[in-house]
Amino acid sequence: QLRYTHPNRSDPRSVGNFTTREDVSNFEARRLRMKIGGHGYKKWIKYYFEIDLQPSKDVDGGLGDRARVIDWRITVQPIDEIGFRVGQWKINYNRERVDSSGRQTFVERSIVNRVFTIDRQVGVMLQGRLFKETPADLRYYAGIFNGEGRATNNDDGELMYMARIQWNFLGRDLKWRQSDVKYHEKPAGSLAFAYADNNGRCTRWSSSGCGNLSAFPGAAGSLNAQFERTQWVQELAFKYRGLAIQQEYHEMKVDDKYLNMLSHDYQGMYAQIGYTNHGALAPLPEGLELAFRYAYVIESVAVTNNRDRQRREEYTVGVNWFFAGHNNKVTVDYSYLTLKDITGMDYSDNRVRLQWDISF
């Protein structure tokens, strides 16, 4: 992914990001990755590795200039109804995060992702599909994980637990990818709910591993099983004849069990819609997608008071031009980003991003 961004590389999350930050115009290789997958012994025994070769700093300023294995997994699925997966991967909690960065409608995920994502974890998961191609078509996922994020061993007796149930209400499955590039001749949709619970050092995760939200101390200084993070999500996805709709609503509570004994509440939502022209709109070239996304996050920003919460919002419009589907596309998007701080003051900023995303 070759990307240009102006005037800021990441989502502004604090008053200082809106008021004192200097404008930056930046070119970068946002993601350089090698993906290796296939099957061994039997077609239903699949393996997958993903190696990140990113040569520049990540969006949070951390060093990312060395190769790292971010995904490694084996999936055993002898029948549709039941199978299992072991390894490290973006666990199947919510669609926006599991959707590959190279299979998205916009240049980057919404402002919701950083707060609510569970990201990559090490563990084991049961999965299956029941009542396939009927009105009761269901997918289920249930897993147990270390809960410490990517490439990290567990240092206490606690584990993360996750469960997801997905109803394919039209009897047709939707892959983990955005935009209706393939042009669904028949409508396909899913309604899903998921729940996760974890006791550990982390209050958030990313592809870099364990971290903490702004209302909590750094993960390195926290205690074993200090934070209990419980959360749930409702999700909707739909595709039909070039139209793609996707939505998620999140709620989360984080308890600090050792220090201030406070519970911090979080809420977030995004909804997006895109239309890919497959010839129906004559004035537009085929392979062009127009899209819009709205998102908000209500989050704690103070360690000692759950009432000190701010609201951030995102309004993003985007255009994709698919030359070979998601494997070769150019994306440009514009975002209007706002923040209402704990005093009720309003701040806003604008951002433009341009990206060429190519896979082969």
Side-chain angles (χ1 to χ4, degrees), residues 10 44 48 58 77 100 136 144 198 222 258 298 303 352-353:
S10 61
W44 43 268
Y48 180 83
D58 64 25
Q77 194 81 40
S100 170
I144 304 174
N198 182 66
S222 57
Y258 292 162
I298 301 173
V303 176
V352 176
R353 301 178 291 197

Side-chain angles (χ1 to χ4, degrees), residues 73-324:
R73 64 180 187 252
I74 296 176
T75 305
V76 179
Q77 194 81 40
I79 57 175
D80 287 334
E81 287 75 13
I82 188 168
F84 69 91
R85 175 178 290 178
V86 296
Q88 173 181 284
W89 72 98
K90 292 183 293 185
I91 64 176
N92 303 64
Y93 177 74
N94 69 307
R95 184 172 288 271
E96 183 183 35
R97 184 54 183 157
V98 178
D99 288 340
S100 170
S101 58
R103 300 291 185 265
Q104 295 180 55
T105 297
F106 298 91
V107 170
E108 197 57 82
R109 297 176 177 92
S110 73
I111 61 173
V112 171
N113 177 73
R114 185 182 188 274
V115 177
F116 297 97
T117 182
I118 299 178
D119 213 87
R120 292 173 171 88
Q121 302 288 340
V122 181
V124 58
M125 181 182 72
L126 286 176
Q127 61 181 26
R129 186 179 180 185
L130 307 174
F131 318 116
K132 185 177 179 179
E133 298 178 351
T134 73
D137 192 324
L138 291 175
R139 280 196 177 274
Y140 69 88
Y141 307 85
I144 304 174
F145 307 91
N146 282 346
E148 301 295 333
R150 183 189 67 84
T152 306
N153 294 321
N154 202 4
D155 58 1
D156 56 44
E158 303 287 348
L159 292 169
M160 172 186 285
Y161 301 92
M162 185 278 297
R164 172 186 169 95
I165 187 75
Q166 174 182 315
W167 175 34
N168 299 321
F169 51 83
L170 296 173
R172 287 177 284 274
D173 205 23
L174 280 176
K175 293 183 178 181
W176 298 87
R177 58 184 60 184
Q178 302 177 16
S179 303
D180 190 14
V181 178
K182 296 295 185 180
Y183 191 75
H184 283 66
E185 290 281 2
K186 296 181 179 179
S190 69
L191 175 66
F193 293 88
Y195 173 84
D197 177 87
N198 182 66
N199 287 272
R201 293 177 180 269
C202 319
T203 57
R204 83 171 192 93
W205 299 273
S206 69
S207 59
S208 297
C210 179
N212 278 90
L213 298 165
S214 60
F216 299 92
S222 57
L223 305 173
N224 287 2
Q226 178 175 346
F227 305 113
E228 180 177 11
R229 170 170 159 156
T230 57
Q231 61 190 94
W232 68 273
V233 60
Q234 168 270 318
E235 171 195 295
L236 177 69
F238 177 82
K239 291 183 181 180
Y240 181 52
R241 292 181 175 268
L243 178 68
I245 298 172
Q246 192 161 309
Q247 170 269 333
E248 292 175 8
Y249 173 79
H250 295 259
E251 286 191 4
M252 180 174 71
K253 181 173 74 171
V254 181
D255 294 326
D256 186 338
K257 299 187 294 182
Y258 292 162
L259 297 181
N260 56 41
M261 306 298 289
L262 279 179
S263 294
H264 294 259
D265 299 317
Y266 296 80
Q267 181 184 358
M269 187 277 292
Y270 80 87
Q272 65 185 50
I273 182 171
Y275 178 76
T276 304
N277 184 36
H278 292 276
L281 298 179
L284 297 178
E286 290 192 32
L288 192 74
E289 180 185 31
L290 306 177
F292 172 76
R293 178 171 70 200
Y294 169 75
Y296 75 83
V297 173
I298 301 173
E299 58 191 333
S300 294
V301 293
V303 176
T304 58
N305 192 343
N306 186 44
R307 294 191 299 273
D308 291 337
R309 297 199 292 168
Q310 65 181 19
R311 180 185 178 100
R312 292 188 288 126
E313 291 183 293
E314 171 194 347
Y315 303 82
T316 298
V317 292
V319 177
N320 282 303
W321 197 342
F322 299 105
F323 303 108

